[in-house]
Amino acid sequence: MAIGSGLGSSFGLSTETTYGTYVAPTTFLFHESADLQPTDGRVTAPTIKAGGLGPRAAHHVQTTYNASADLKTDLVTKGLGKLWQAIMGGTSTSTSGASSSYTQVHTLDGTAKSLSLQTGRPLRSGASVIPATVVGAVVTSAEVSCDASDIAKLSVGFDGRKWDNSTALATVSYPSPAPAVFTGLQSTLKIGTHAAETTLTGARSCSWKLSRKIDDADYTLDGTGLKGAPVLNDWYDLTGTISRDYLDKTAVEDLSLTTTPTSLNWSFTGGLIGGGIYYKVTFDVPAVIFEPKAQTVNGPKELTSDWSWKWYDDDSGNLPTVTIITTDTAL
């Protein structure tokens, strides 16, 4: 018998070989929330019946299948490789290193990698757990945020091909030992010349947000109501915000008054794996431009401000990456 509340819920995912073809989840995450929803297309014909006072049920029909999903979880040391591959695109690598460590490099790419997602939703009675499954789940947004005194959070949004509650619940299995969370205590933020950035002092929090723009309505007259695999159809939007004490005017304020790009490097260094190798995740954004802004005075408190940045292609082949050092032997 399951626990009849969210305490008995689960969230799992797997990488699909073919868009929209279900693959039973093999990776299960410790989640904060998981919302999988059917967003099917339905249309009502505006036909009139003599004496009819409302739209006709017989002419309210389904035309397409569609789904969405939203996941909230923590940024952790293990188990996120498949998810990061889907967030960044199709070009991810994993190589072995010293002391049973592995390095994953997820490079921003034009590929929209699809996943099968599944949640387990316990009945209040605890008698059973009802699955909700989304196939063809393509990441449309992902955000990492952390402040100096908190746990790093990861939120991901998906567009899906189809939702159902009849696919059997996959066997839930979590990694052992459980992954550790990354925190603000373990975070370092740097800006400057790419690959030679220096620490930005006074940063209180940072966020990193990626938006993927896709054709999410490629429906054709094929008798299925299912859309085709989406493709990227506009530039990526990679943005973020740094909240910082006003320690000087040169590091950010002066930079924001120009269109001069700088490189941003945000990393979290966790526990020891062995042999001087630590769990780590690094967000490398080679060319960001800060939005123009001046520090304001708003009352008697110390001066701080939120500085917004946006990634631009530097025309040198340097793309944003997410690099992970972990003990996962594969994505």
Side-chain angles (χ1 to χ4, degrees):
M1 178 177 287
I3 300 174
S5 68
L7 294 175
S9 67
S10 62
F11 175 84
L13 61 86
S14 58
T15 303
E16 295 177 348
T17 303
T18 302
Y19 172 70
T21 300
Y22 174 73
V23 178
T26 54
T27 298
F28 293 87
L29 305 181
F30 298 93
H31 64 290
E32 182 178 322
S33 65
D35 184 12
L36 278 60
Q37 291 291 333
T39 54
D40 300 339
R42 296 181 179 181
V43 176
T44 303
T47 48
I48 299 171
K49 175 185 176 181
L53 301 180
R56 303 187 64 206
H59 286 182
H60 181 66
V61 296
Q62 183 159 326
T63 57
T64 58
Y65 296 100
N66 200 34
S68 67
D70 290 285
L71 169 69
K72 292 184 179 180
T73 186
D74 299 321
L75 188 65
V76 293
T77 54
K78 297 189 296 182
L80 294 179
K82 293 177 183 176
L83 184 57
W84 276 114
Q85 182 186 48
I87 292 170
M88 298 296 285
T91 55
S92 296
T93 61
S94 178
T95 56
S96 60
S99 302
S100 301
S101 68
Y102 289 78
T103 299
Q104 300 176 9
V105 180
H106 304 276
T107 305
L108 192 66
D109 185 271
T111 306
K113 200 79 173 179
S114 66
L115 303 174
S116 293
L117 310 177
Q118 190 177 70
T119 57
R121 304 163 300 157
L123 298 177
R124 181 179 176 85
S125 64
S128 61
V129 178
I130 308 301
T133 304
V134 169
V135 295
V138 172
V139 173
T140 55
S141 66
E143 181 174 10
V144 176
S145 60
C146 186
D147 67 36
S149 59
D150 206 349
I151 293 170
K153 299 294 183 180
L154 172 61
S155 300
V156 187
F158 303 86
D159 171 78
R161 194 183 199 202
K162 192 176 181 181
W163 180 99
D164 76 75
N165 61 2
S166 57
T167 301
L169 189 67
T171 301
V172 178
S173 176
Y174 296 102
S176 181
V181 296
F182 287 110
T183 71
L185 176 66
Q186 302 164 324
S187 177
T188 302
L189 181 63
K190 300 178 180 181
I191 63 172
T193 303
H194 185 233
E197 301 89 349
T198 58
T199 300
L200 179 66
T201 57
R204 295 192 176 201
S205 66
C206 186
S207 67
W208 175 105
K209 184 175 183 179
L210 182 70
S211 296
R212 174 184 281 116
K213 299 170 185 177
I214 57 174
D215 62 332
D216 57 0
D218 183 27
Y219 296 100
T220 58
L221 300 175
D222 61 1
T224 69
L226 297 170
K227 62 189 175 185
V231 298
L232 190 70
N233 64 358
D234 203 345
W235 290 316
Y236 277 108
D237 201 18
L238 178 54
T239 60
T241 302
I242 298 171
S243 178
R244 182 177 184 254
D245 292 334
Y246 195 52
L247 301 181
D248 56 71
K249 76 181 187 71
T250 56
V252 182
E253 184 175 76
D254 282 353
L255 197 59
S256 80
L257 300 178
T258 74
T259 57
T260 303
T262 189
S263 180
L264 184 147
N265 183 281
W266 186 25
S267 65
F268 295 83
T269 302
L272 179 67
I273 295 175
I277 307 297
Y278 293 81
Y279 289 100
K280 191 171 184 177
V281 58
T282 301
F283 302 90
D284 186 63
V285 190
V288 305
I289 296 177
F290 285 92
E291 297 297 321
K293 185 175 181 179
Q295 176 66 54
T296 60
V297 178
N298 187 17
K301 293 184 178 181
E302 64 275 15
L303 304 189
T304 63
S305 195
D306 293 337
W307 305 91
S308 298
W309 56 264
K310 182 175 181 177
W311 167 69
Y312 291 85
D313 192 329
D314 65 2
D315 292 322
S316 297
N318 299 312
L319 291 171
T321 59
V322 178
T323 302
I324 300 169
I325 299 177
T326 182
T327 53
D328 291 332
T329 58
L331 298 184

